[in-house]
Amino acid sequence: KQEVTQIPAALSVPEGENLVLNCSFTDSAIYNLQWFRQDPGKGLTSLLLIQSSQREQTSGRLNASLDKSSGRSTLYIAASQPGDSATYLCAVPIGAGANNLFFGTGTRLTVIP
Amino acid sequence: SQTIHQWPATLVQPVGSPLSLECTVEGTSNPNLYWYRQAAGRGLQLLFYSVGIGQISSEVPQNLSASRPQDRQFILSSKKLLLSDSSFYLCAWSDQGAYTEAFFGQGTRLTVV
């Protein structure tokens, strides 16, 4: 049974810092891993999707890595800004075919001005 | 570009009343469609998914049902709401095919009183 863990549950950093968010999964037979951002009371915004054949994906100040063998993914945020404050969720597909996502419980990030 | 609309944003309903939440997707054809639930302090849980009109798969037995009357319309319903149905409900879509990127709506906050 797949388990997805995100540690820490909450993180506060001063503005401008580079930071890393962690996502661990127990079943390494994944096809991809997706990172999302969720603002309070809002839906999820897709940030990055890494296919199992990829090691990294980059979008602006965000860089996500995937190491299937160790069951880990990291989301690196460069030069953090107060607008980056949100909950970050990672998710992996489970079940056959239809892309049903299994989510971690998230890391709540606060960037202090 | 593709967009997903979900409404209403908030809803307060009495116990025992019916429920209908609607989700529509624009800019794509034959998408996979999903309903997730996010309880306070808990992760997202997949409720239903659909790979085509009239095709609904249920992941969790509950007081809710889903329907897909049109290609890009997904409806979450209940005949009689329970207090335990209070939650944040999210609709999502992804392209057909396995393990494609998922995109979420802005969610509906349902409070059953």
Side-chain angles (χ1 to χ4, degrees):
Chain A
K1 177 186 175 185
Q2 180 70 274
E3 293 182 10
V4 181
T5 304
Q6 292 185 250
I7 295 173
L11 179 65
S12 290
V13 300
E15 181 177 2
E17 254 194 31
N18 302 326
L19 60 101
V20 174
L21 306 179
N22 297 297
C23 173
S24 300
F25 45 93
T26 55
D27 185 349
S28 62
I30 62 170
Y31 287 86
N32 61 42
L33 185 143
Q34 195 166 352
W35 281 94
F36 295 89
R37 166 190 174 133
Q38 186 176 27
D39 293 293
K42 302 294 185 182
L44 276 65
T45 300
S46 178
L47 298 174
L48 290 163
L49 172 73
I50 314 178
Q51 300 293 352
S52 61
S53 58
Q54 299 174 314
R55 299 279 296 183
E56 282 190 3
Q57 274 281 33
T58 298
S59 176
R61 293 182 295 108
L62 305 180
N63 176 278
S65 68
L66 176 63
D67 185 343
K68 284 182 58 178
S69 61
S70 66
R72 292 188 61 189
S73 176
T74 61
L75 179 67
Y76 175 83
I77 303 177
S80 59
Q81 304 170 357
D84 295 330
S85 298
T87 296
Y88 290 81
L89 298 156
C90 63
V92 296
I94 60 173
N99 202 27
N100 309 329
L101 292 177
F102 188 84
F103 284 83
T105 51
T107 295
R108 180 177 295 179
L109 173 65
T110 302
V111 180
I112 304 165
Chain B
S1 63
Q2 301 88 1
T3 56
I4 179 169
H5 302 280
Q6 189 180 340
W7 67 92
T10 59
L11 188 61
V12 179
Q13 291 283 93
V15 169
S17 65
L19 172 73
S20 181
L21 302 181
E22 190 162 343
C23 172
T24 59
V25 180
E26 297 178 354
T28 188
S29 296
N30 199 25
N32 292 334
L33 296 172
Y34 311 85
W35 280 110
Y36 285 84
R37 176 170 61 196
Q38 186 178 33
R42 300 178 64 180
L44 281 87
Q45 179 185 43
L46 179 66
L47 300 176
F48 301 96
Y49 68 92
S50 171
V51 299
I53 296 174
Q55 301 178 60
I56 309 295
S57 296
S58 174
E59 291 293 301
V60 180
Q62 64 232 307
N63 184 42
L64 302 168
S65 62
S67 61
R68 184 171 178 174
Q70 301 181 43
D71 180 46
R72 292 168 290 172
Q73 183 185 29
F74 206 24
I75 297 172
L76 183 68
S77 303
S78 173
K79 292 182 179 179
K80 290 185 177 182
L81 283 169
L82 306 172
L83 287 174
S84 58
D85 292 324
S86 294
S87 194
F88 190 54
Y89 291 88
L90 289 151
C91 180
W93 75 273
S94 67
D95 282 328
Q96 277 290 339
Y99 316 113
T100 53
E101 189 172 2
F103 301 93
F104 282 74
Q106 286 301 298
T108 295
R109 172 70 60 190
L110 172 66
T111 303
V112 183
V113 297

